Structure formats: structure tokens, C-alpha cells
Amino acid sequence: MDDVVEALSRLDKVVDLYEVTGEFDIVTVVSASDIEEFRDVLKNKIMKVKGVKSTVSSIVLKTHKGSGSNGDILNPTSPVSASFSHRK
């Protein structure tokens, strides 16, 4: 698990990384400029990390409450944010 967390934390597009309880081990928040970049990060970076067996992805459509001065977790130049949950 520590190796997976370390590898994911080194990825440029990973903005938040959480170790969690429940059905999944890790929740990773990724910021991407568009859906193609999101797909590239998932397919060519996250899924290539040794120890990541599968992911479940969600796209953030709108933030109603969150960290940051305006309540958004995204910056204006990064319209796509995704949360990946890594299965046990």
C-alpha cells in the first residue's frame, strides 16, 4: 500500500490523495485540462502503477462546497477533476 501511495503522490496531475476505509483503499483526486488528458492520466499513469488493480472513476460536475477560496477544488484552467477509488 505504501508503495502505491508513494507512486501516486509523484504524479503531476494528482492534487489530493487519501487512504480510506471501506470498499476501497485509496481515493485520488486528479485535475486535468480536458477529458482526453483525464483519460491519459488514468490509462497511462494510474493504471500502470504497480499495485493498482482497478479503479472506479467519477467526474466532478459542480462543487457546492469544498476547499479553496471560492469553494471549487478546480482552478479555472483545469475544468476536469476526477476522483479515483482504488479497490482492495
Side-chain angles (χ1 to χ4, degrees):
M1 170 91 109
D2 291 340
D3 293 339
V4 173
V5 169
E6 177 66 29
L8 291 171
S9 68
R10 287 193 306 261
L11 298 178
D12 290 339
K13 295 298 178 175
V14 171
V15 294
D16 292 307
L17 186 61
Y18 306 97
E19 188 172 330
V20 298
T21 63
E23 185 178 354
F24 305 102
D25 291 322
I26 301 167
V27 173
T28 305
V29 179
V30 172
S31 183
S33 59
D34 57 33
I35 199 69
E36 289 303 318
E37 184 178 38
F38 165 79
R39 180 182 178 276
D40 180 64
V41 170
L42 175 62
K43 181 180 174 187
N44 297 314
K45 301 203 188 289
I46 291 176
M47 290 303 297
K48 301 255 173 144
V49 170
K50 186 178 179 183
V52 173
K53 293 180 174 58
S54 66
T55 66
V56 173
S57 304
S58 298
I59 304 292
V60 175
L61 299 175
K62 180 176 180 170
T63 302
H64 295 276
K65 183 176 180 178
S67 61
S69 60
N70 65 358
D72 284 334
I73 62 170
L74 308 175
N75 88 36
T77 61
S78 301
V80 177
S81 182
S83 178
F84 299 96
S85 297
H86 306 282
R87 293 187 188 273
K88 293 182 176 181

